[in-house]
Structures are given as C-alpha cells and as structure tokens.
Amino acid sequence: AAGTFAALVGTSLNGLGIPVYKYKSTDTSVNTTTTLASDADIAGFALTVSKLYRIRGYLGMTTTGGTCGFKVGLKWTNAPNGGYITSTFNSTRNDSTSPTATTTLSDSGALNFAGGISIEGWFQANTTTAGTLDLVWTQSSSSATPLYLKNGSWLEITQLN
C-alpha cells in the first residue's frame, strides 16, 4: 500500500537527517481538469517552524494518447520562508528560487508523453506557523484522455537543522 516510511540511516537522537518518504503503490489518473490538486499518497509531510529541509523525488507520468500534458507543483499550508527547488523533465530544467504557498515546478504545455520528472532542492518552513507539504499535479490542457501519476513515484524530505 502507498504510505510513508522513515529510512533509519544516518539518524540522530533529535531526528535530524532522517528522510521521510511518501510514495505511490498504484497508478492514479486525472482528466478534464487543469486545477492543481494534492495527491492522495504523496501529501501531508509534517513541517516544523523555521526548519530547513532538503527535498527530492521522482515522478513517473504518462498519457495514453491525446495531448493533455502535465503541471506539477508543491503546496504548503503556510508559505515557506525561501528556498531553491528545481525540476527536470526531458532535459528541461525549471528553477523556483522563491517558492510560494503553491509553487508550480513544471508545466509541459500540451503534449503526449511518457517520462519522469526529477525534483531536487531545499526550503525553509514558515517562520511563524508549522504546517504540511503536499505534491500537487494536474493536466496542463484539459482533456478526456487521462494523465497518470505512476506507481513507484516518490517524494522525500529531510530536516537539516
């Protein structure tokens, strides 16, 4: 089943350096929408006020015909206090140097594809209120042809301080 687990490598008594992963164990699809929405499995990362986090992940996405393309982003319940996050799809790199409450990392535009999106970077959690972090995604162009976020897609955050 999809879920969360903490890797027990490089751990410390205060929990620093313990990666928290969320992953998909089945494909999920969306169609006829361009509204970013939280993924049911890769969501709810708990954040601590003002802490720095490393983020990385890999998302497998595909369509079966049509040209809906994809949009992928991150959504914080409380806007982060800075960061630098990159995403890469088909050798195209997108940089987000100032993430906001909802940050679109990659928007392919209309396209028929099968491939992966790599995510890497860091951010500082909100300095006043903790909160959560979700992966958000949708079609770039509304289409009846589904867009799939594939089994095995994952996101990891690690508290650094």
Side-chain angles (χ1 to χ4, degrees):
T4 304
F5 63 93
L8 298 178
V9 243
T11 61
S12 64
L13 293 177
N14 61 5
L16 297 180
I18 301 173
V20 176
Y21 299 84
K22 297 207 180 224
Y23 63 93
K24 299 200 72 64
S25 62
T26 59
D27 295 353
T28 303
S29 66
V30 297
N31 64 344
T32 63
T33 184
T34 59
T35 302
L36 286 168
S38 295
D39 184 75
D41 301 315
I42 306 177
F45 287 98
L47 306 174
T48 302
V49 172
S50 295
K51 298 300 181 183
L52 294 175
Y53 291 88
R54 175 183 179 201
I55 185 168
R56 66 186 193 117
Y58 181 82
L59 310 174
M61 302 188 95
T62 188
T63 61
T64 54
T67 56
C68 64
F70 66 87
K71 280 192 280 190
V72 170
L74 298 170
K75 181 180 178 182
W76 288 264
T77 52
N78 299 294
N81 190 45
Y84 189 90
I85 302 170
T86 65
S87 65
T88 305
F89 171 73
N90 282 354
S91 300
T92 300
R93 181 176 154 166
N94 298 295
D95 297 325
S96 175
T97 57
S98 300
T100 59
T102 301
T103 297
T104 300
L105 297 176
S106 194
D107 185 343
S108 69
L111 121 113
N112 181 14
F113 72 95
I117 301 146
S118 298
I119 298 169
E120 182 107 28
W122 69 272
F123 65 91
Q124 181 182 20
N126 188 282
T127 57
T128 307
T129 308
T132 59
L133 170 67
D134 295 353
L135 173 74
V136 293
W137 62 284
T138 191
Q139 294 178 316
S140 183
S141 301
S142 182
S143 172
T145 302
L147 168 67
Y148 294 91
L149 181 58
K150 303 295 285 178
N151 171 25
S153 295
W154 59 275
L155 199 61
E156 165 199 300
I157 67 168
T158 305
Q159 184 180 322
L160 300 176
N161 66 340

